[in-house]
Amino acid sequence: MLSKKLEKALNNQIKIEAESSQIYLSMASWAEVKGLEGIAGFMYAQSDEEREHMLKLVKYVNERGGHALVPALKAPKSDFGTFQSMFQELLEHEIFVSQSINELVHVTLQEKDYATHNFLQWYVAEQIEEEALARTILDKINLIGNDKGGLYLFDRDVQQITVDSAAGAGPAI
Ligand code: FEO
């Protein structure tokens, strides 16, 4: 059974994951109307992943005798300036999510809930990967600079930049 304090903290994380999904969906839509099909595809996939992160938490809270609450969400912005600044925002947002997961892990220790502590290790590992992925993409973007041909290739190949390639195993672009 979850303590009330931990249930509340987990519900807060549900909201953060749901908002992440909305933010990336908005990024996908912005990229799509700019004609950046590859970047849009990447962001649609990120948005779906965040929804999965949220669902996993919803099911866990309910399974442990809590009540997962479906929250009202802030509307994300709809204009991201440039694709470079959009990916910078993606990284900053993932750093924020990592901090939030860390806080949550801290609450599990305070509450001596080792089952939830164990459950959250998946999120801890996922955040390392997501931050690494965002940093890898930003490195590629810095290499391109303002080169239009580079942007064309980046947009074509960005969907193949996965967590594995961020670790050095996948296709180089
Ligand atoms: Fe669910 Fe990208 O953090």
Side-chain angles (χ1 to χ4, degrees):
M1 186 85 185
L2 295 171
S3 71
K4 280 293 157 203
K5 183 176 177 181
L6 191 50
E7 182 180 353
K8 194 169 172 217
L10 286 163
N11 268 310
N12 182 55
Q13 192 63 35
I14 286 171
K15 183 167 194 248
I16 288 174
E17 301 293 344
E19 278 177 350
S20 302
S21 180
Q22 294 289 88
I23 291 168
Y24 299 156
L25 183 59
S26 188
M27 287 179 174
S29 180
W30 178 86
E32 194 161 54
V33 297
K34 296 273 172 202
L36 300 166
E37 299 293 333
I39 293 172
F42 175 86
M43 289 299 179
Y44 279 125
Q46 289 298 115
S47 175
D48 286 346
E49 268 195 34
E50 298 302 344
R51 183 175 157 77
E52 289 298 319
H53 297 173
M54 178 198 66
L55 277 177
K56 214 173 152 83
L57 282 160
V58 166
K59 290 177 180 168
Y60 181 77
V61 168
N62 291 341
E63 189 182 289
R64 292 290 314 282
H67 185 182
L69 303 172
V70 177
L73 302 176
K74 242 188 357 228
K77 63 181 187 178
S78 54
D79 188 345
F80 295 91
T82 63
F83 79 97
Q84 290 96 332
S85 62
M86 185 174 75
F87 277 101
Q88 185 63 40
E89 276 188 48
L90 174 89
L91 173 61
E92 282 160 19
H93 186 73
E94 287 302 328
I95 291 171
F96 160 75
V97 175
S98 298
Q99 285 164 348
S100 166
I101 295 287
N102 277 344
E103 292 295 322
L104 196 48
V105 171
H106 183 67
V107 177
T108 65
L109 293 178
Q110 285 177 327
E111 300 296 292
K112 296 192 169 64
D113 187 329
Y114 300 109
T116 304
H117 186 270
N118 191 40
F119 166 77
L120 288 175
Q121 295 313 303
W122 182 86
Y123 287 84
V124 171
E126 180 72 10
Q127 282 313 121
I128 293 172
E129 290 181 352
E130 294 219 339
E131 281 189 37
L133 178 61
R135 287 198 176 88
T136 299
I137 291 173
L138 281 172
D139 286 347
K140 309 269 183 216
I141 288 172
N142 286 335
L143 284 176
I144 297 167
N146 289 322
D147 180 59
K148 285 263 190 279
L151 171 58
Y152 174 81
L153 293 175
F154 175 78
D155 185 58
R156 193 193 63 182
D157 294 341
V158 69
Q159 289 183 86
Q160 290 166 39
I161 305 179
T162 61
V163 166
D164 287 344
S165 69
I173 64 162

